[in-house]
Amino acid sequence: MERSEEYIKNERKKEWRVELQKKTKAKDRMTIERVQMPESAPEERIKSQRIEVNKGLTAEEAMREATRCMDCVNPTCMEGCPVSINIPKFIKNIERGDFLQAASVLKETSALPAVCGRVCPQEIQCEQRCFYVEKLHQPAVAIGHLERFAADFERESGKISVPELAESNGIKVAVIGSGPSSLSFAGDMVKLGYDVSVFEALHEIGGVLKYGIPEFRLPNAVVDVEINNLRRMGVKFITNFIVGQTESLDDLKEEGFKAFYVGSGAGLPRFMNIPGENSNGILSSNEYLTRVNLMGADAEDSDTPVLRGKNVVVVGGGNTAMDSVRTAKRLGAEKAMIVYRRSEEEMPARIEEVHHAKQEGIEFSTLTNPIEYIADENGRVKQVTVQKMKLGEPDASGRRRPIPIEGSEYTIDASVVVVAVGVSPNPLIPNSVKGLDVSRWGTIEVVKDKMQSSIPEVFAGGDIVRGGATVILAMGDGRKAAANMDIYLKEKYLSQKVEH
Amino acid sequence: MKEFNSLDDILDFAINEEQMAADFYTDLAAKMKNQEMKDTFEQYALEEIGHRTKLEAIKNGKAYKIADSKIVDLKIADYLVEVDTEKTNISYQEALILAMKKEKSAFKLYNDLASATTDAASKKVFLMLAQEEAKHKLRFEIEYDNNILTEN
């Protein structure tokens, strides 16, 4: 996809864009207040895991918000987008009411716009670089809300276009894992004519989009539409298949697969290694969320229930911690609390998620760190000993690190504890494939921008390479890997010289 | 408590401690199943050799001084459980815990020795050694804080 400055400028000079630019004066655009995302009422939404919090904009709201966008000569917002979506072009299409065209602009570079519109941290990416923020110190154009609007409109219209596919070349390619980076890789490769099979260890396709992100933030139906599109394009999905256990990479080679994309993610929970952490009732956020999101443990009659408790303590301050604690609330916890070692300012969770959590009655105990779990006579956790922290002086990196305040220890009652302090890469492929270069963090080493590993036919991307990143970056990896694997395979099997 | 008769005696003891730490990591490296963890422990061993070399230079007359400011102690290791060094699949998180705890106990040893001695010159050497260990520990703590406690 061409993304040169000249291309962006020429696009901006198209007749319809110029007309829009003239139609509303800049000062009038500036007087419009940023749209507020309509939300489900906190007291209603906490009754179910399946009620989406953000309800989406109406067409009128979206067009009005799109009018705020200045259609800048130098759209700095695009620099803030990891996949360089042509942001002004899609927004201006919304302003003129051509919502399907807006969705098609998004799809030029993003495989899952309805997902990204919901879960991307726009406030630290595109929106942070918006003219309104940089020059006017005013709230950014709601790029994320508009992205979601356009993608939802297309989906709900039933007019989802299937991209043109190249003629089949018969080359078999295997994808390991079915999260965002794998899906975007599979989409690009099938378009190029490859025979793509996606192997997923779980019984559902979608990876972290399904097992990790609760339906109140990202409904599974939204993800399923994207998966069905890929299916219509010819991608084969094989579930309950663990590459490295069900069959090895070598077995798949014998079955005719010529190249592999490893997008197996960061599904290995990380624990704190403090005393008592093995007590019953202490779960990783991976297990907790997977049981609810993927196995329906929120249903009263679930065959695979999850522990519920009156007092649920969630350790951590990322989006996963917010997802876990808000899930606990929806499962009936009287008291659901975040315990986080740093201050709220340092929380890696999106501001929106923290805000929604507070609306839902979640308690926050910041600058507080668990140091021991106390179990009852049956080995079930009953209390957490925590210690207050203070932020030290900024160090050489400018970061203020938390330091324990000795003597400040106290206990919190807890019937369930969810540990959400971070995740590590899934170790199965790194440990089972000989000759694969792996970092000390357990991530697969790849040539930057090519996503090719130390084994030429093995490419990798997403969290298995980055350790932990956003959906959009994972998708970007998938696209880069597809482009480079295409070159590799064409040169090797189709005797085509490809210009690099 | 160990008796020391001269400053050289103290430094010889410390040099030997660094060598023992290097040997400990070299042995662990040999035991690890995964190459990346072998590499990690080999690097730790090299760092310990570096500390030994630094102390040898001081023994040979290189000037040293004790910084006025106290080295920050994030106390991360203080609350973590011991790592089982018998296993062959130590993770990088565990490797860092192991290293933090080792540096912490070395720091404590030199600090205790400094408190126990009345000889001013010896006290200065022990404090310098303690400060070195505190710096080494801080390096591991920062790595742990940045990379393991990413969401805490």
Side-chain angles (χ1 to χ4, degrees):
Chain A
M1 179 48 54
E2 193 185 2
R3 275 290 174 271
S4 67
E5 250 179 59
E6 200 187 342
Y7 161 78
I8 293 162
K9 286 212 167 87
N10 287 339
E11 283 284 314
R12 192 181 172 272
K13 284 184 201 153
K14 291 252 167 83
E15 209 180 312
W16 69 273
R17 293 269 289 266
V18 175
E19 261 177 43
L20 277 184
Q21 287 153 17
K22 286 182 185 159
K23 197 175 148 197
T24 312
K25 287 181 184 146
K27 71 173 174 41
D28 293 334
R29 293 181 190 275
M30 280 190 265
T31 56
I32 304 170
E33 266 186 48
R34 178 180 157 120
V35 69
Q36 291 291 318
M37 171 60 84
E39 293 173 355
S40 311
E43 59 280 10
E44 280 305 310
R45 69 193 193 220
I46 59 166
K47 290 178 189 162
S48 165
Q49 188 76 2
R50 320 279 156 185
I51 298 176
E52 196 175 5
V53 176
N54 287 345
K55 298 206 290 199
L57 305 182
T58 62
E60 293 72 30
E61 284 168 332
M63 287 169 77
R64 189 174 157 81
E65 182 62 19
T67 309
R68 290 184 72 221
C69 172
M70 297 291 185
D71 201 0
C72 303
V73 179
N74 176 23
T76 42
C77 53
M78 284 182 67
E79 291 166 18
C81 174
V83 294
S84 302
I85 287 176
N86 193 337
I87 294 168
K89 189 177 170 189
F90 102 77
I91 291 183
K92 291 297 120 181
N93 269 303
I94 294 178
E95 187 183 337
R96 69 165 168 166
D98 194 345
F99 306 142
L100 287 176
Q101 190 55 37
S104 125
V105 174
L106 289 168
K107 282 183 160 178
E108 287 172 6
T109 45
S110 169
L112 308 165
V115 173
C116 292
R118 286 170 168 81
V119 302
C120 248
Q122 293 99 5
E123 64 279 6
I124 55 164
Q125 294 179 345
C126 52
E127 291 185 16
Q128 196 178 46
R129 301 295 317 277
C130 174
F131 170 80
Y132 277 86
V133 174
E134 292 201 330
K135 298 286 188 287
L136 306 177
H137 304 293
Q138 283 182 20
V141 172
I143 302 170
H145 296 347
L146 292 174
E147 180 184 23
R148 172 188 162 152
F149 168 79
D152 283 0
F153 182 88
E154 188 199 40
R155 191 180 64 252
E156 285 158 13
S157 72
K159 291 176 190 156
I160 305 173
S161 53
V162 174
E164 224 174 279
L165 308 180
E167 201 182 320
S168 167
N169 60 26
I171 297 176
K172 283 170 79 177
V173 169
V175 186
I176 300 155
S178 68
S181 94
S182 297
L183 294 180
S184 90
F185 170 85
D188 279 7
M189 288 302 274
V190 81
K191 272 188 250 175
L192 291 164
Y194 292 93
D195 179 354
V196 183
S197 298
V198 177
F199 295 92
E200 166 57 51
L202 295 170
H203 60 285
E204 282 242 21
I205 299 297
V208 72
L209 302 176
K210 284 273 188 73
Y211 77 75
I213 306 177
E215 290 217 65
F216 56 79
R217 277 215 293 142
L218 175 63
N220 286 348
V222 172
V223 185
D224 283 335
V225 168
E226 307 290 352
I227 292 163
N228 285 335
N229 276 341
L230 292 172
R231 219 175 245 132
R232 281 162 63 197
M233 288 158 69
V235 176
K236 294 170 200 144
F237 290 101
I238 300 107
T239 52
N240 299 309
F241 192 108
I242 308 174
V243 177
Q245 253 173 18
T246 313
E247 280 185 27
S248 69
L249 218 62
D250 287 338
D251 296 332
L252 292 175
K253 270 185 206 169
E254 277 179 30
E255 288 166 28
F257 287 97
K258 301 291 185 213
F260 303 85
Y261 181 69
V262 185
S264 50
L268 181 67
R270 202 179 279 159
F271 284 93
M272 286 179 68
N273 281 29
I274 59 174
E277 211 173 23
N278 285 329
S279 306
N280 295 329
I282 303 177
L283 300 90
S284 70
S285 52
N286 299 50
E287 178 181 353
Y288 190 69
L289 290 172
T290 303
R291 279 176 181 277
V292 177
N293 297 340
L294 210 62
M295 297 162 79
D298 53 321
E300 292 294 340
D301 58 350
S302 170
D303 290 337
T304 51
V306 71
L307 276 177
R308 298 181 188 220
K310 206 162 77 172
N311 298 309
V312 179
V313 169
V314 175
V315 185
N319 286 324
T320 310
M322 297 306 138
D323 288 343
S324 302
V325 79
R326 295 169 70 196
T327 294
K329 192 77 187 176
R330 284 158 172 79
L331 292 183
E334 284 173 23
K335 195 170 165 176
M337 179 194 267
I338 284 284
V339 170
Y340 179 58
R341 189 169 149 263
R342 304 175 212 255
S343 71
E344 193 171 320
E345 214 173 296
E346 283 92 22
M347 271 191 180
R350 293 186 67 191
I351 295 167
E352 183 182 65
E353 304 313 325
V354 175
H355 167 70
H356 285 157
K358 285 183 175 169
Q359 281 182 331
E360 292 165 9
I362 304 302
E363 292 180 35
F364 282 73
S365 211
T366 53
L367 285 169
T368 306
N369 195 35
I371 54 171
E372 186 175 8
Y373 295 107
I374 301 162
D376 64 15
E377 62 282 5
N378 298 317
R380 169 89 188 255
V381 67
K382 62 173 184 179
Q383 283 182 317
V384 190
T385 306
V386 297
Q387 186 177 42
K388 291 304 290 178
M389 312 291 282
K390 62 178 178 192
L391 291 179
E393 292 300 313
D395 63 13
S397 69
R399 207 164 170 201
R400 297 184 68 191
R401 295 179 195 279
I403 297 173
I405 304 172
E406 274 173 30
S408 65
E409 298 81 8
Y410 63 99
T411 55
I412 300 172
D413 289 342
S415 34
V416 173
V417 174
V418 180
V419 182
V421 296
V423 285
S424 295
N426 190 324
L428 204 53
I429 297 293
N431 288 350
S432 70
V433 179
K434 274 201 179 130
L436 195 62
D437 279 358
V438 177
S439 78
R440 62 180 57 163
W441 305 107
T443 51
I444 296 176
E445 304 265 28
V446 293
V447 178
K448 204 177 161 224
D449 291 333
K450 270 187 144 184
M451 314 312 291
Q452 192 169 24
S453 76
S454 53
I455 302 172
E457 67 272 25
V458 177
F459 290 65
D463 281 356
I464 193 71
V465 166
R466 294 172 179 272
T470 55
V471 169
I472 190 103
L473 285 170
M475 277 171 30
D477 287 351
R479 303 209 68 189
K480 273 184 219 158
N484 286 294
M485 190 190 280
D486 179 43
I487 295 171
Y488 167 79
L489 290 173
K490 277 188 175 143
E491 289 187 345
K492 188 160 178 187
Y493 295 103
L494 302 173
S495 308
Q496 284 181 18
K497 186 71 202 142
V498 182
E499 272 187 41
H500 292 226
Chain B
M1 187 168 282
K2 186 169 166 50
E3 293 279 320
F4 296 99
N5 300 318
S6 66
L7 295 183
D8 274 359
D9 226 14
I10 296 172
L11 286 166
D12 281 337
F13 171 79
I15 287 163
N16 188 46
E17 288 285 308
E18 299 292 357
Q19 184 58 53
M20 277 164 50
D23 295 344
F24 169 78
Y25 287 131
T26 305
D27 289 348
L28 269 187
K31 227 165 48 179
M32 289 301 109
K33 269 202 301 210
N34 294 332
Q35 188 56 44
E36 64 274 14
M37 291 315 297
K38 284 183 186 293
D39 295 346
T40 298
F41 285 123
E42 273 162 17
Q43 186 214 318
Y44 287 4
L46 279 176
E47 285 181 31
E48 298 295 347
I49 300 284
H51 303 158
R52 191 193 73 181
T53 312
K54 196 169 167 184
L55 296 180
E56 280 169 346
I58 290 171
K59 192 183 163 199
N60 291 330
K62 189 170 186 288
Y64 69 89
K65 68 173 189 178
I66 302 169
D68 293 336
S69 56
K70 200 170 165 257
I71 309 290
V72 176
D73 183 1
L74 298 179
K75 299 185 182 168
I76 292 174
D78 298 20
Y79 303 97
L80 305 183
V81 292
E82 296 288 340
V83 174
D84 174 10
T85 53
E86 292 304 311
K87 58 185 199 176
T88 57
N89 59 346
I90 292 177
S91 69
Y92 192 57
Q93 178 179 8
E94 289 170 323
L96 286 171
I97 295 173
L98 198 69
M100 288 189 291
K101 281 185 176 287
K102 268 189 91 65
E103 302 294 352
K104 178 88 180 183
S105 70
F107 164 79
K108 198 171 170 315
L109 169 72
Y110 293 128
N111 230 9
D112 289 349
L113 289 170
S115 304
T117 183
T118 50
D119 174 54
S122 301
K123 193 184 269 291
K124 195 178 157 201
V125 175
F126 282 132
L127 286 177
M128 177 273 294
L129 291 167
Q131 211 171 52
E132 283 297 310
E133 301 299 342
K135 278 189 221 162
H136 304 158
K137 183 170 79 76
L138 183 61
R139 161 241 186 287
F140 288 119
E141 282 188 329
I142 287 175
E143 194 162 345
Y144 197 89
D145 192 43
N146 284 347
N147 297 296
I148 302 294
L149 299 172
T150 44
E151 297 197 4
N152 191 30

